[in-house]
Amino acid sequence: MGEFGIGQPVRRFEDKRLLSGNGRFQNDNNLLGQAHAYVLRSPHAHARIDRLDLAVAKTAPGVQLILTGDDLVEAKLGAMGVPFQRKRPDGSPMFARAHLGLAQGTVRYVGEPIALIVAETLAQAKDAAELIDIDFETLASVTDTADAAEGKIAVWPDCPDNISNLFEAGNKAAADAAFAKAAHVVKRRYVISRVYAHFMEPRGAIGVWDPGEDRFTLYADVQYPHRVRQALATRIFKIPESRIRVIAGDVGGGFGTKGWQYPEHRLVLLAAKKLRRPVKWTCERSEAIQADEHARDNVSDAELALDKDGRFLGLKVKTLANVGAYISSERNLLATFGNVGTLVGTYDIPAAYVGVYAVMANTNGTAPYRGAGRPEATYVIERLIDDAARELGFDRVELRSKNLIPPERLPIKTALGLNYDCGDFPANQQKALEQSDWMGFAKRRDESKARGRLRGIGIANPIEKAAGPGQEFAEIRFHPSGNATLLMGSKNQGQGHETTFKQVLNEKLGLDPAVVQYIDGDTDRVAFGIGTNGSRSTVIGGSALWMAADKVIAKGKRIAAHLLEAADADIEFTVNDDGGAFAVAGTDRRLSITDVAKASFQAGRLPRDLEGGLYETGTFSPEDNTYPNGCHVCEVEIDPDTGALEIVRYVVIDDVGTVVNPLGLKGQIHGGVAQGLGQALMEEVVYDRESGQNLTGSFMDYAMPRADTMPYMEITSNPVPTKRNPLGAKGAGEAGTVGALPAIVNAVIDALAPLGVASLDMPATSQRIWQAMRGARA
Ligand code: MCN
């Protein structure tokens, strides 16, 4: 393991560029002759469009083009759609309506795109938008998830109960049988708030059409360039994939929300073709929360069955998952089934049944956002265990210890069908208890009390399904001078991929990161990619790179054998501080990988049966998920007069298998906890129940965590490498978020429990805490 190999805390190579103003973010792109686009959005949550008159707007200064839903129909554009079927609770086919890209006849949420106005300048496009004359007939709307599930107001007349489909997992009969023999049953309802990613750079897109090649280029900050190209080609424009290029430069945060195909992508492309010039759209900060997908927004009724000693016998969960007004693609259903698998957590629960109802409402669609269903699942099981402990008089930690799956029971197939392969859940918890000085908490609580403060401590043992099946791609291209370019199918959005993958390359081939060029995000340069989501890049992309490097070694051995006049079988490849080298075993005859690469490009130097050049590709497709896990402990102090809260201690024990970059991993856990903390304590998308207006449209109303909200975090790895990939790595990018929600809220409730507060929903703002204390005192 050299300075840059796997396991080294290498500082990010890309930071020099990104932190010195030399990044190439979406909005840094400007093309010669580009026109500017503005999207007119619905001001109503639910309304019929009785009249849409563009006449005046079309004559406004600078206006080049205005597109409406009718133009998309005329251009025969397709919609994304869901490529699988599900059933409604009565067994009838799933109800799903995809958005076309611009509204047609009716708008169903505030912010729904109605028209794209293209003008010489953005100001002219905005001015023209104000001249579009629309008669709306407003209709009753429903935005609250539980309200929508009651079906009193329908989002779609042909789906009066608003239930798109029901997704079930586990075994209902077995769960019912477990509940029938239980000594105790604990039931609770948990509301998981709606949140929005709020990345540093709001989305954007530039559409280009090349009339010579009859080919589109889309510049967009997307997480999956190749899948966006495929979706645009096969589902929207219905043209060969080879006639679209997607280029994603530096992505200013994605978090799942920049997942793939948004309506604006097809709109700028169509507009560019019609105008024969590039068309640029930039989402504004205040527009983003209306334009983008939101996340979470579940109501879960959960029941835990226990025997008299506190052993878990069964779990039943019914979840209402708000999917929004449209089900435009499978993304809008992912969070609903992402919720299911890890509901049993790290615990031995022999029987479980879960039903997730996908509920439609007059809201933005929901889609994967850091954790995509797993934070919700972990929140439910970890809060339920705390509530069971309080209700039945068990100690929270002992109740967990009694039910944690011990390492010797792994691998195990859980009652919800997941195959956990490895980990040491009791050791994670034990280490977290020690590191957080759990035993000393009572004393700290007394000290806080003496200062007039309430103190609480919370624990959670998260597990998540990450880096699941699906391919990823890597290519190592040597140059005639012996250095190389690395091309990856994963797309970086801030995770530090350049550094991570150069570390894997250095570990395998000993290449100096300084002379390796890194390329991702361009479908014309990188042959294939699935992209970055589900904490999959290190595991699957890193393994694809591992495979490509193995091919380089194999070919390099044949070249070296020829040059060193030895048999192939006698050549060894090793990496040391001087880099990678091929040597004849037992001798000092050796050639560096650079010399071998150079020779591969020199005519006449290779054996006749070897192709010249040294460029190898690798793909990897894991057979199953990895299961990152760990333990979070959070300690809070609350001011009983104001409800103001401070996180005074935060401990994370993580098992992400082999750690490629401990520094990068800590950064990921910090960021993940920050996003979990945001949801637990302050962030929430709020709609007005009557009008359906989004009341949290700016940072004045949507509270984001800031540096001073973040606690100091103690993070320690307890790695148990998995055998499911050659690196032994498990996904890490979402782990922090998954553990943070329950650990924080459990701590808040622990602090308030002595006052008689039994429940509190996220976000635990000081106002909510204050109200809960007041309610309990009354
Ligand atoms: N890592 C490691 N060892 C491992 C796993 C990961 O050292 N065994 C470190 C590496 O530094 C690696 C990083 O953690 O580059 C993240 O790796 P991985 O878990 O493979 O996650 P991905 O790269 O696939 O990123 C996806 C994940 C997800 S799903 C969301 S959402 C998210 C996240 O990463 N969005 C992010 N982290 C983000 N961080 C930033 N800055 N911006 C986002 O949009």
Side-chain angles (χ1 to χ4, degrees), residues 197-475:
H198 273 308
F199 9 74
M200 292 279 270
E201 187 184 30
R203 289 189 301 114
I206 302 183
V208 179
W209 186 64
D210 178 339
E213 280 194 272
D214 188 9
R215 190 164 191 259
F216 289 116
T217 299
L218 176 73
Y219 294 81
D221 46 348
V222 294
Q223 296 175 211
Y224 331 136
H226 290 82
R227 276 199 280 168
V228 168
R229 176 178 68 167
Q230 189 186 3
L232 284 167
T234 60
R235 302 198 205 182
I236 307 290
F237 287 98
K238 298 177 183 129
I239 55 176
E241 244 177 289
S242 51
R243 280 179 38 209
I244 301 187
R245 176 183 190 181
V246 175
I247 303 175
D250 291 319
V251 176
F255 307 111
T257 306
K258 283 184 185 163
W260 59 344
Q261 223 290 297
Y262 271 99
E264 294 83 6
H265 300 149
R266 70 195 81 156
L267 299 182
V268 293
L269 290 176
L270 181 65
K273 184 171 182 179
K274 283 184 181 280
L275 293 172
R276 290 177 160 247
R277 63 190 282 195
V279 174
K280 176 171 183 168
W281 171 75
T282 303
C283 190
E284 296 189 357
R285 173 64 70 192
S286 54
E287 180 185 9
I289 198 168
Q290 296 190 21
D292 296 353
E293 289 166 329
H294 298 168
R296 322 263 199 250
D297 200 345
N298 293 345
V299 178
S300 284
D301 289 307
E303 298 177 61
L304 185 65
L306 305 91
D307 73 8
K308 65 175 187 1
D309 302 322
R311 279 198 197 284
F312 301 160
L313 302 175
L315 177 76
K316 287 198 257 186
V317 182
K318 175 185 171 186
T319 295
L320 304 175
N322 188 332
V323 295
Y326 294 83
I327 297 179
S328 280
S329 77
E330 56 271 39
R331 265 180 74 74
N332 301 128
L333 295 177
L334 266 174
T336 62
F337 54 97
N339 182 319
V340 170
T342 48
L343 270 161
V344 291
T346 45
Y347 306 98
D348 187 2
I349 305 185
Y353 167 75
V354 184
V356 184
Y357 291 74
V359 180
M360 309 190 75
N362 295 108
T363 63
N364 291 55
T366 55
Y369 165 60
R370 210 163 191 171
R374 291 102 82 198
E376 294 92 310
T378 307
Y379 184 73
V380 168
I381 185 65
E382 291 292 338
R383 278 208 58 187
L384 191 56
I385 294 172
D386 264 32
D387 282 330
R390 253 189 306 273
E391 183 174 317
L392 305 174
F394 290 108
D395 175 82
R396 294 177 277 172
V397 170
E398 276 171 29
L399 188 59
R400 284 181 168 82
S401 299
K402 197 175 279 186
N403 290 286
L404 279 172
I405 301 169
E408 56 276 14
R409 292 276 313 281
L410 297 170
I412 195 172
K413 182 166 182 153
T414 72
L416 291 173
L418 299 184
N419 295 301
Y420 295 172
D421 61 331
C422 64
D424 192 342
F425 313 144
N428 292 339
Q429 181 176 279
Q430 188 52 36
K431 283 179 197 289
L433 294 175
E434 285 163 18
Q435 198 157 327
S436 64
D437 185 21
W438 185 277
M439 298 305 285
F441 174 72
K443 194 162 164 252
R444 295 196 293 280
R445 191 192 304 249
D446 290 345
E447 282 163 9
S448 297
K449 198 172 171 189
R451 284 186 285 109
R453 292 283 191 274
L454 300 165
R455 199 174 184 110
I457 193 164
I459 189 166
N461 289 307
I463 186 161
E464 48 159 331
K465 178 174 95 165
Q471 280 186 345
E472 202 45 87
F473 170 86
E475 181 176 356

Side-chain angles (χ1 to χ4, degrees), residues 254-255 370 494-495 497 500 537-538 658 660-661 668 730 732-733:
F255 307 111
R370 210 163 191 171
Q495 295 90 346
H497 283 181
T500 305
S537 305
T538 307
T658 305
V660 176
N661 184 333
Q668 284 297 310
K730 307 175 188 177

